[in-house]
Amino acid sequence: MALNHLRLLQPLLCRSLIQRIRSPVAVSAVVNVRPSVLPGTVQLPAAVCRFYGTKKDKAKGSSAKVKINSALVEDIINLEEVKEEMASVVYLLKDDFTRSLNIRTSPGALDHIIVATCDGKFPLNELGQVSMKSSHLLIVNMSNFPEAVTAATRALRECSMNLNPEVDGTIIKVPIPKVSREHRENLAKTAKQLSNKAKESLRSVRSNAVSQVKKAKEGHSEDILRLIEKQIQQMTDDITAEIDKQLAVKTKELLG
């Protein structure tokens, strides 16, 4: 008989349980539950965020993005300074491309050439006045530093521009060779070398930044340190992609 009564009460008990689960009070109680922070542990700052990729991103194998508020971790590392150092690598690469790999004749085409003298190393345009005689001839007037004529001529001959300078007193005549296909291909190879050098500089910046983060193990959460390292790697990946982009643009310009 007791079993029969229990069977009669079963539907009532089920309805009561369902109402309890659906109750706004119960839901509110569940939502408002926050994990307590145990003594000795570090809670992640609110501004350290993870940005999860879309299904399309996950299909490509990309990992979740991390964005950290630099101000909250400046006691560990100055991420803005790291960002500026990495950006300067791209700036210097663009400058090298402009100065060393320009197939258009102009007085500024010789600005990158460094002359080694007895008094030190100096840019050619600080020792002599460079002017354009014609579209295929540049003139370097060395009258202000006649003692550096030999050194300047050697620097012009040894540079990567395939030049054959001619000396006439304190005047250096620099015929600009016609840009052949072979010369364009050599310039493209130089562009590749310069981009690889830029990547080496970038890796050096990244390595120094990661080392600085690892030195801050004491007193900081390992989770935060890992997130910072991931942020640094993301910054490195972005600059690497920019270097590859600049190389592709320059290569297309050189090869036509």
Side-chain angles (χ1 to χ4, degrees):
M1 184 172 182
L3 184 59
N4 290 336
H5 283 296
L6 183 59
R7 287 175 179 173
L8 291 174
L9 290 173
Q10 186 176 5
L12 296 175
L13 291 172
C14 290
R15 282 197 298 271
S16 175
L17 181 59
I18 292 172
Q19 290 174 354
R20 177 61 178 171
I21 293 175
R22 293 179 178 175
S23 170
V25 176
V27 173
S28 177
V30 171
V31 171
N32 290 329
V33 171
R34 295 176 180 267
S36 58
V37 181
L38 298 176
T41 63
V42 179
Q43 192 171 15
L44 291 177
V48 178
C49 307
R50 288 180 182 267
F51 294 89
Y52 293 95
T54 62
K55 291 182 179 179
K56 185 177 180 180
D57 293 333
K58 291 179 180 178
K60 293 181 180 179
S62 60
S63 57
K65 294 287 185 179
V66 173
K67 185 176 182 180
I68 298 175
N69 187 330
S70 301
L72 297 179
V73 296
E74 60 183 4
D75 60 325
I76 300 175
I77 189 172
N78 190 327
L79 287 176
E80 290 301 319
E81 284 187 2
V82 176
K83 185 177 180 179
E84 289 176 4
E85 284 187 60
M86 290 185 174
S88 68
V89 171
V90 177
Y91 174 81
L92 292 175
L93 177 63
K94 289 181 179 179
D95 189 51
D96 284 341
F97 280 174
T98 301
R99 292 186 293 105
S100 305
L101 305 176
N102 196 344
I103 59 177
R104 299 178 181 86
T105 305
S106 68
L110 305 180
D111 286 352
H112 69 286
I113 295 177
I114 302 299
V115 181
T117 70
C118 297
D119 297 323
K121 295 181 178 181
F122 303 92
L124 178 63
N125 59 2
E126 289 186 7
L127 299 176
Q129 183 180 2
V130 183
S131 60
M132 191 170 175
K133 185 75 172 178
S134 69
S135 59
H136 297 290
L137 180 64
L138 295 177
I139 300 295
V140 183
N141 188 337
M142 299 290 294
S143 57
N144 290 334
F145 296 93
E147 68 278 8
V149 170
T150 302
T153 304
R154 182 172 56 251
L156 286 164
R157 188 173 288 114
E158 294 177 353
C159 76
S160 61
M161 297 177 66
N162 193 29
L163 302 177
N164 187 24
E166 302 170 1
V167 179
D168 183 9
T170 58
I171 300 297
I172 303 175
K173 298 178 181 180
V174 187
I176 304 299
K178 184 179 179 180
V179 183
S180 63
R181 183 67 184 179
E182 181 182 2
H183 183 55
R184 288 175 179 268
E185 290 175 353
N186 288 334
L187 291 178
K189 290 179 182 178
T190 303
K192 179 66 175 178
Q193 293 170 358
L194 290 173
S195 69
N196 288 338
K197 184 179 178 181
K199 288 181 180 180
E200 289 177 6
S201 299
L202 178 62
R203 285 193 290 269
S204 178
V205 174
R206 176 196 172 280
S207 178
N208 291 337
V210 171
S211 296
Q212 185 176 342
V213 172
K214 290 186 181 297
K215 291 178 181 178
K217 282 186 177 181
E218 293 185 6
H220 296 93
S221 166
E222 290 186 6
D223 288 337
I224 291 181
L225 297 182
R226 277 195 295 268
L227 287 175
I228 296 174
E229 288 186 27
K230 189 170 184 179
Q231 176 77 51
I232 293 171
Q233 184 59 52
Q234 286 175 186
M235 293 161 61
T236 305
D237 293 342
D238 290 342
I239 296 298
T240 300
E242 181 62 24
I243 291 174
D244 290 337
K245 178 182 176 181
Q246 293 299 323
L247 174 62
V249 171
K250 194 63 182 180
T251 303
K252 184 177 180 180
E253 174 192 325
L254 294 171
L255 297 180

